[in-house]
Amino acid sequence: IEGFAAEGGLHSAAFLFDLGEKFKDRLFENWKEFTMKFELAFGISPIPTRSKSQGLTGCSSHRKRGLVSMSQNKRAHAAPLSEVKMDNFKRKINLLGSTGSIGTQTLDIVEERPENFEVVALAAGSNVEMLVDQAVKFNAKMVCVRDETKYSELKEALESAGWKGDVVAGEQGVVEAARYGDADVVVTGIVGCAGLLPTIAAIESGKDIALANKETLIAGGPVVVPLLKKHNVNMTPADSEHSAIFQCLQGRHDGTLLKKILLTASGGAFRDWKAEDLKNVTVQDALKHPNWDMGAKITIDSATLMNKGLEVIEAHYLFGVEYADIEVVVHPQSIIHSMVEFGDTSVIGQLGWPDMRLPIVYALSWPYRLDMKYDRLDLVKLGSLTFREPDRKKYPALDLSYAAGRAAGTMPCVLNAANEAAVELFRAEKIHYLDMPKVLESVMERHKSDWRENPTLDDIVAFDKLARVHAKEFVAVPL
């Protein structure tokens, strides 16, 4: 022990601990005595739980790799608390929503780190030209277009490009793409509840989930969380706020009291508008996010603060925290992506420029951190960080989200479906911006008589469809 300690470094510690554990019955009369001497020599406490390839991972400080392990059997929430089991750090990816914002940024990461990531399957909505370019560039083995009318066009374009592989289409095609081949992880970049069934298919096939589709947990949490445990699958968050929380929790030991989650919100397009001016909002106004470059749906959700309300429900399912302990704070600079408060009142936050590639790369690489050539955060250049309480009268969708989350069962699913329908109606200029929370409240009220406490997957799918019908039946009151 003294010799290895003199040599120094955690590589020596890892080797010694592996050797000691392997031969402990022959070499040591007292295993506890060995671990005590080990701690004195190296200044770290060995916890003998690690994957074969990773060596020593469970050290109380300055860990070589990974997380302190926590029992999978105790897990009642989605975010993983044990080590990712890999023979080496090369992850194969099935990418759903490849031509959207999440998808293109994921492929940017694959292009920058080909030694760590490889594309297996790609699924997109209807952009055939971009999908063909992606399939050829990243040598995908399967390609799917969700719009079935584009199937022939896609197949012909791929053949013309000299690409060979499996081509599928439609909703079932997306499900097939999710569980296709030998991929290690599925990036769920599909917008809305359309990502639920593909995510379940991926979980059932034993693939880890890099969750960029929050609606999967919001609508399907009662079904998805038990499946993660059943199939021993990890779900890592790929959105900025939940990635921040996830990163802040690395190194947290089992039993450490998590007091509160602080979800930060930019405030969206109308954070500096007076409430009385919102009657003049147009669709184009709602699509102008001050900080983030995102898709249209999530940008509008940010404008109503509905996105933050949905993230409150997602945080509940991911981290097992009660709604009373999840607080939303408006942070206009979008530099602190979220924070956690522990029982001793310590608060840990994760900081970075507003760049969606950061949470995506961590969701894919966890528990490793990669050297990425992104702009480094300059706090002096930034100058100051500010915070304020959200205006709940100006943003009624936030309280509606808390109410749906506390109701649990099928209510979050109905809230999510009604919101997706309301955003579609608003983008089509069939309702006004101020009508969107009214749609949610109306649909939630109608659902109270049909509410299910412990829904099945069939229940969730059925109520999702019904809520969309009810949302479209909403009659807007003239302003």
Side-chain angles (χ1 to χ4, degrees):
I1 292 173
E2 291 173 357
F4 276 102
E7 182 180 340
L10 285 177
H11 289 285
S12 300
F15 176 78
L16 177 61
F17 189 84
D18 282 345
L19 189 68
E21 188 184 32
K22 183 175 181 180
F23 296 106
K24 63 183 180 183
D25 293 333
R26 293 165 56 185
L27 298 179
F28 304 102
E29 294 181 1
N30 189 329
W31 179 240
K32 185 178 293 186
E33 180 183 359
F34 168 74
T35 59
M36 289 173 60
K37 289 182 178 180
F38 184 100
E39 183 173 356
L40 286 172
F42 289 98
I44 51 178
S45 298
I47 298 175
T49 307
R50 69 253 185 265
S51 66
K52 180 179 179 182
S53 65
Q54 290 175 320
L56 183 71
T57 58
C59 299
S60 62
S61 62
H62 304 99
R63 293 168 299 148
K64 182 183 174 200
R65 299 175 189 167
L67 296 173
V68 176
S69 293
M70 298 184 184
S71 171
Q72 287 285 346
N73 293 329
K74 294 180 181 178
R75 174 147 65 97
H77 40 81
L81 296 175
S82 63
E83 301 167 24
V84 174
K85 298 179 180 179
M86 303 184 208
D87 292 329
N88 55 63
F89 183 33
K90 177 83 174 193
R91 306 207 80 190
K92 296 182 179 181
I93 299 170
N94 288 347
L95 176 55
L96 311 183
S98 67
T99 60
S101 176
I102 295 295
T104 54
Q105 291 178 89
T106 300
L107 292 176
D108 287 343
I109 293 166
V110 174
E111 185 174 13
E112 185 169 347
R113 303 289 304 205
E115 67 273 29
N116 298 119
F117 304 115
E118 176 186 338
V119 172
V120 177
L122 296 170
S126 60
N127 191 334
V128 169
E129 183 178 357
M130 184 181 291
L131 182 56
V132 171
D133 289 343
Q134 292 174 342
V136 172
K137 182 175 182 177
F138 293 96
N139 194 29
K141 306 300 184 295
M142 174 199 251
V143 175
C144 170
V145 61
R146 186 178 169 197
D147 184 347
E148 293 183 356
T149 65
K150 302 280 187 176
Y151 175 75
S152 297
E153 179 186 349
L154 174 63
K155 195 169 179 63
E156 291 173 7
L158 288 168
E159 290 175 356
S160 298
W163 180 89
K164 294 182 180 179
D166 296 320
V167 185
V168 293
E171 300 289 350
Q172 186 57 37
V174 179
V175 170
E176 292 301 320
R179 62 187 175 205
Y180 183 79
D182 60 349
D184 302 297
V185 60
V186 178
V187 179
T188 60
I190 297 176
V191 176
C193 202
L196 176 58
L197 294 181
T199 301
I200 288 175
I203 292 170
E204 291 177 338
S205 67
K207 303 184 191 305
D208 288 341
I209 306 297
L211 185 69
N213 173 276
K214 64 176 63 67
E215 293 85 359
T216 292
L217 272 186
I218 294 157
V223 173
V224 171
V225 173
L227 282 176
L228 292 170
K229 181 178 178 180
K230 176 181 178 181
H231 296 280
N232 196 27
V233 165
N234 291 314
M235 175 175 279
T236 52
D239 63 321
S240 61
E241 293 82 2
H242 298 92
S243 175
I245 297 164
F246 184 52
Q247 292 180 58
C248 291
L249 292 175
Q250 302 308 296
R252 172 194 173 207
H253 290 260
D254 199 3
T256 302
L257 178 61
L258 177 59
K259 194 79 171 179
K260 182 185 292 186
I261 283 177
L262 295 144
L263 278 173
T264 55
S266 68
F270 307 123
R271 69 185 180 203
D272 298 320
W273 285 44
K274 295 179 180 178
E276 57 265 29
D277 293 333
L278 294 178
K279 62 180 181 295
N280 300 318
V281 164
T282 67
V283 174
Q284 289 307 310
D285 291 330
L287 289 171
K288 296 175 183 177
H289 197 284
N291 298 342
W292 294 93
D293 180 15
M294 305 181 293
K297 195 266 182 182
I298 191 172
T299 302
I300 292 173
D301 280 347
S302 295
T304 62
L305 228 60
M306 184 65 197
N307 187 50
K308 207 55 50 181
L310 295 175
E311 287 175 1
V312 167
I313 300 173
E314 183 183 6
H316 168 75
Y317 282 118
L318 274 171
F319 306 110
V321 177
E322 296 300 322
Y323 288 101
D325 299 324
I326 304 173
E327 181 180 338
V328 174
V329 179
V330 175
H331 170 47
Q333 294 81 18
S334 295
I335 296 297
I336 301 179
H337 299 299
S338 276
M339 297 169 276
V340 297
E341 179 185 344
F342 294 101
D344 61 0
T345 72
S346 294
V347 176
I348 299 176
Q350 186 265 329
L351 285 70
W353 294 118
D355 185 340
M356 280 303 299
R357 293 175 300 177
L358 299 179
I360 295 170
V361 73
Y362 191 69
L364 291 172
S365 65
W366 175 81
Y368 305 92
R369 284 194 182 274
L370 299 179
D371 184 14
M372 307 301 289
K373 307 303 180 184
Y374 302 152
D375 291 339
R376 300 180 70 179
L377 182 63
D378 187 337
L379 291 175
V380 174
K381 180 180 177 181
L382 186 65
S384 64
L385 302 174
T386 60
F387 307 90
R388 60 178 182 250
E389 187 177 359
D391 184 340
R392 285 177 141 77
K393 291 184 178 179
K394 183 177 172 182
Y395 299 110
L398 188 57
D399 283 340
L400 289 171
S401 299
Y402 272 97
R406 289 188 172 104
T410 50
M411 193 61 80
C413 165
V414 167
L415 170 81
N416 177 72
N419 180 64
E420 288 185 24
V423 171
E424 289 177 8
L425 292 170
F426 171 63
R427 291 182 66 188
E429 300 184 344
K430 293 181 179 179
I431 62 173
H432 189 267
Y433 169 86
L434 292 174
D435 290 323
M436 285 190 282
K438 297 175 184 176
V439 172
L440 308 186
E441 189 172 15
S442 171
V443 175
M444 288 171 64
E445 186 64 31
R446 290 183 68 173
H447 179 63
K448 287 180 179 179
S449 60
D450 297 323
W451 176 80
R452 300 285 190 277
E453 181 177 6
N454 298 301
T456 64
L457 179 59
D458 288 342
D459 289 334
I460 290 169
V461 172
F463 284 120
D464 175 86
K465 291 180 179 178
L466 183 60
R468 294 170 194 273
V469 172
H470 289 169
K472 291 176 182 178
E473 292 173 352
F474 175 84
V475 178
V477 178
L479 297 174

